[in-house]
Amino acid sequence: MEAYVCLCRLVYQREELYSEIHQCSMPEDMARPLIRDRGEAGGSRHLEASMSDAPVVGIVGTGDFSRSLARRLVSSGYQVVVGSRNPKRSAALFPEEAEVTSQMEAAGQADLVFVAVFPEHHSTLLELKPSLAGKTLVDVSNSLRINPDGPSNAEQLADLFPESDVVKGFNTISAWALQRGPRDGSRQIFLCSNSSKAKSSVMQLCRRLGFIPVDMGLLSSSLEIENLPLYLFPSWRTPILCTLFLFIFFYLYNFLRDVLQPYVTARKSVFYKMPIEMVNVTLPSVALVMLALVYLPGLCAAFLQLWSGTKYNRFPGWLDRWLSSRKQFGLCSFLCAAMHAIYSLSLPMRKSARFKLLLAVKQMKEGDEVWVNEEVWRMELYVSAGIMALGLLSLLAVTSLPSVANSVNWREFSFIQSTVGYCALSMATVHTLLYGWGRAFDPAQYRFMMPPTFALVLVLPSVALLGRLALFMPCVARRLAQIRRGSEKSRHIRFRLPDDDCRNGLEDVSNV
């Protein structure tokens, strides 16, 4: 019995010893309780001793962006001190680790201060000028509208605080992206400043937060950075307008031929075709024309180089903008083609299609030929070519994604976008030709003296394909290759400065 008691005591002492060793080796963050008391809501909270070695970053302002930035800075290991005009009211809105105090105290404690107030309120911070002298100020403000002339908000802030180093940045990233971290949204943060030391410190902070800093040069670039978030798809404007114009044109054209003409000539009402059938005929027309518009500017550029005999002449402004929008034209074409496929699959589900099928069966007589070999082959080839064209177009659309484009080299990317793209254009053209098999020579198809829609649609794709075949000729291809390698008609290379009206203007900002 005494031996059993001694054994139990030894086991108990060993467990106590293991517990003490585990608590001593446990990190301080793990030893702290998961839920801590925040104290009174309006009290000023001080930074914990465990973060005393971390850099101190100040934030002036208590808006949504300020709260998300404070949360991200705290999670990245920074000491955060927030300056507020009413610290007691704003304290409960920030993380427990951040200290919320007056603006004067926040400016005095931090060496790097984020100015997270509206630009029209920058003048209210003039009393902080002595405390902010010699420190780095990060301006995160944006304007309400595009400012083409300047000065920018950052330049005005630099004029108000000449003894501080102003850095423009963090204005192109949303509060949600800051709160969620770099896994959501864009990871790039554009920065510019006249002080290389201040800009380097902010770039280091960006990397520690998990973002990618992009150096945009001096503070004079701040106007361009401030205008970036205000653009609404600048490179998409022309492709979208072109898609809408083509859709309206082909829809009205089909309406005149397929709906209005039967009603005017035979009082036959077929207005039920407008929601699905006419849209389904219009979408492939727009898709094929838009796909041809992807490759026509490249052909124009090649023939211009052949005509001028040099590659150093600047393209006209319209061609330059057209070349830079080819990706958007292609994606609009893919959208129309995908919608056409969905509309085509829904055609048999309509009641009108069922009624037409039943009516055709009732009107059949004995001896009528049901199987027309030519029509069967035409439909089989027509559908097969359409599926192949949509598959190749899907490959082009997927390759245009930045994540996919970054995983292939330039030769692979150009092969897909050029060779596979022309294959997609060829298959789509064959798909349209098979649709119009025999219809182009039927006088009944020329309603109101208007040719069938597919005849109009084939004009631009045929021009693009014939132009590509012309560039494949050995003599033309050899001369074009020499020009693109630097050969000229004369032995001297003459550079010409671009005119002001030839620039892409604000649309170039979308390619930053």
Side-chain angles (χ1 to χ4, degrees):
M1 187 65 179
E2 292 179 358
Y4 177 75
V5 172
C6 293
L7 181 60
C8 291
R9 288 178 180 176
L10 289 174
V11 172
Y12 180 74
Q13 290 176 359
R14 186 183 64 176
E15 290 180 354
E16 285 187 345
L17 181 61
Y18 283 169
S19 177
E20 291 177 0
I21 294 175
H22 180 67
Q23 290 181 0
C24 292
S25 61
M26 183 184 298
E28 185 179 356
D29 293 340
M30 298 294 293
R32 289 183 299 181
L34 293 177
I35 301 177
R36 294 169 292 180
D37 295 333
R38 294 182 62 92
E40 296 183 1
S44 175
R45 295 161 295 175
H46 296 281
L47 303 173
E48 299 181 9
S50 61
M51 300 179 62
S52 59
D53 295 334
V56 180
V57 178
I59 303 175
V60 177
T62 56
D64 295 337
F65 189 87
S66 176
R67 294 196 292 269
S68 299
L69 180 61
R71 188 181 300 275
R72 187 65 189 164
L73 288 170
V74 167
S75 62
S76 299
Y78 285 94
Q79 296 185 60
V80 179
V81 53
V82 181
S84 173
R85 290 177 296 179
N86 194 339
K88 292 184 179 180
R89 186 179 62 181
S90 305
L93 303 175
F94 286 85
E96 177 70 23
E97 295 82 0
E99 179 184 358
V100 181
T101 181
S102 65
Q103 293 181 349
M104 186 66 70
E105 293 183 4
Q109 294 184 35
D111 294 328
L112 190 150
V113 179
F114 283 86
V115 182
V117 298
F118 291 109
E120 56 268 22
H121 298 157
H122 284 171
S123 57
T124 62
L125 306 177
L126 288 177
E127 60 181 8
L128 306 179
K129 184 180 293 187
S131 301
L132 296 176
K135 297 184 178 181
T136 299
L137 303 183
V138 183
D139 178 34
V140 301
S141 63
N142 281 317
S143 302
L144 297 178
R145 59 183 61 88
I146 295 178
N147 182 9
D149 302 322
S152 64
N153 299 333
E155 291 172 329
Q156 296 179 15
L157 183 65
D159 293 337
L160 292 176
F161 298 90
E163 298 180 0
S164 302
D165 298 325
V166 177
V167 178
K168 184 67 186 182
F170 285 85
N171 64 302
T172 58
I173 190 168
S174 64
W176 171 256
L178 272 176
Q179 188 171 354
R180 294 291 298 170
R183 60 181 177 275
D184 290 339
S186 176
R187 298 185 59 187
Q188 292 183 340
I189 294 182
F190 302 102
L191 302 173
C192 67
S193 176
N194 292 334
S195 173
S196 58
K197 181 179 179 181
K199 185 164 52 178
S200 299
S201 62
V202 179
M203 293 177 69
Q204 183 179 0
L205 182 142
C206 290
R207 295 189 184 96
R208 187 165 177 176
L209 295 183
F211 296 97
I212 301 174
V214 179
D215 190 353
M216 298 292 290
L218 300 178
L219 197 62
S220 56
S221 303
S222 58
L223 183 63
E224 180 181 353
I225 298 177
E226 289 178 3
N227 288 333
L228 276 176
L230 302 178
Y231 292 122
L232 184 61
F233 303 113
S235 57
W236 285 85
R237 189 178 300 120
T238 300
I240 290 178
L241 291 177
C242 186
T243 303
L244 291 177
F245 172 78
L246 289 174
F247 183 87
I248 294 173
F249 171 77
F250 284 114
Y251 189 88
L252 293 177
Y253 192 86
N254 293 324
F255 175 80
L256 292 175
R257 294 185 69 260
D258 301 334
V259 177
L260 190 61
Q261 192 269 347
Y263 183 78
V264 172
T265 57
R267 291 296 173 181
K268 183 179 179 181
S269 178
V270 288
F271 290 94
Y272 68 90
K273 294 183 177 180
M274 295 177 62
I276 295 183
E277 280 195 36
M278 287 186 53
V279 174
N280 189 43
V281 177
T282 303
L283 286 174
S285 305
V286 178
L288 185 54
V289 173
M290 292 293 291
L291 186 59
L293 292 177
V294 174
Y295 297 99
L296 282 175
L299 298 175
C300 294
F303 284 111
L304 279 176
Q305 290 177 344
L306 288 171
W307 178 74
S308 61
T310 178
K311 68 174 184 178
Y312 296 103
N313 287 343
R314 185 176 176 86
F315 294 137
W318 59 269
L319 182 57
D320 198 8
R321 291 188 291 270
W322 193 1
L323 287 168
S324 62
S325 301
R326 288 179 294 178
K327 172 183 175 180
Q328 288 76 17
F329 275 94
L331 291 177
C332 290
S333 173
F334 171 71
L335 174 63
C336 294
M339 294 177 64
H340 167 58
I342 296 174
Y343 269 91
S344 299
L345 292 176
S346 66
L347 288 178
M349 297 164 36
R350 301 170 303 146
K351 285 188 175 294
S352 58
R354 299 175 186 175
F355 290 154
K356 283 185 177 182
L357 181 61
L358 293 175
L359 184 62
V361 172
K362 289 182 179 180
Q363 293 178 350
M364 287 181 59
K365 300 177 182 179
E366 281 190 47
D368 289 346
E369 186 177 0
V370 180
W371 184 277
V372 181
N373 198 46
E374 181 181 356
E375 287 297 320
V376 171
W377 271 100
R378 184 186 69 85
M379 182 59 66
E380 296 293 324
L381 295 174
Y382 162 73
V383 175
S384 177
I387 294 174
M388 294 179 66
L390 181 60
L392 294 174
L393 197 57
S394 303
L395 178 60
L396 296 177
V398 171
T399 312
S400 65
L401 296 175
S403 58
V404 180
N406 293 334
S407 62
V408 296
N409 58 35
W410 173 247
R411 186 176 181 182
E412 295 169 345
F413 180 80
S414 60
F415 173 80
I416 294 175
Q417 294 296 325
S418 179
T419 306
V420 178
Y422 272 103
C423 291
L425 181 62
S426 302
M427 294 307 302
T429 304
V430 171
H431 175 69
T432 307
L433 287 172
L434 291 173
Y435 173 80
W437 188 347
R439 300 183 183 183
F441 307 101
D442 185 4
Q445 295 294 327
Y446 291 82
R447 302 162 188 168
F448 282 159
M449 303 300 295
M450 302 169 66
T453 307
F454 67 87
L456 298 179
V457 172
L458 287 173
V459 174
L460 289 181
S462 301
V463 171
L465 293 175
L466 291 176
R468 185 62 176 174
L469 289 177
L471 293 179
F472 270 138
M473 297 177 61
C475 56
V476 179
R478 187 183 306 110
R479 178 57 183 160
L480 183 60
Q482 292 175 353
I483 291 174
R484 290 181 174 176
R485 290 179 63 87
S487 175
E488 289 194 291
K489 290 181 179 179
S490 61
R491 289 185 296 177
H492 301 285
I493 299 175
R494 294 169 297 186
F495 292 92
R496 187 178 64 183
L497 293 176
D499 299 329
D500 292 338
D501 56 350
C502 291
R503 293 179 301 171
N504 284 350
L506 297 178
E507 294 184 0
D508 286 341
V509 179
S510 63
N511 298 323
V512 173

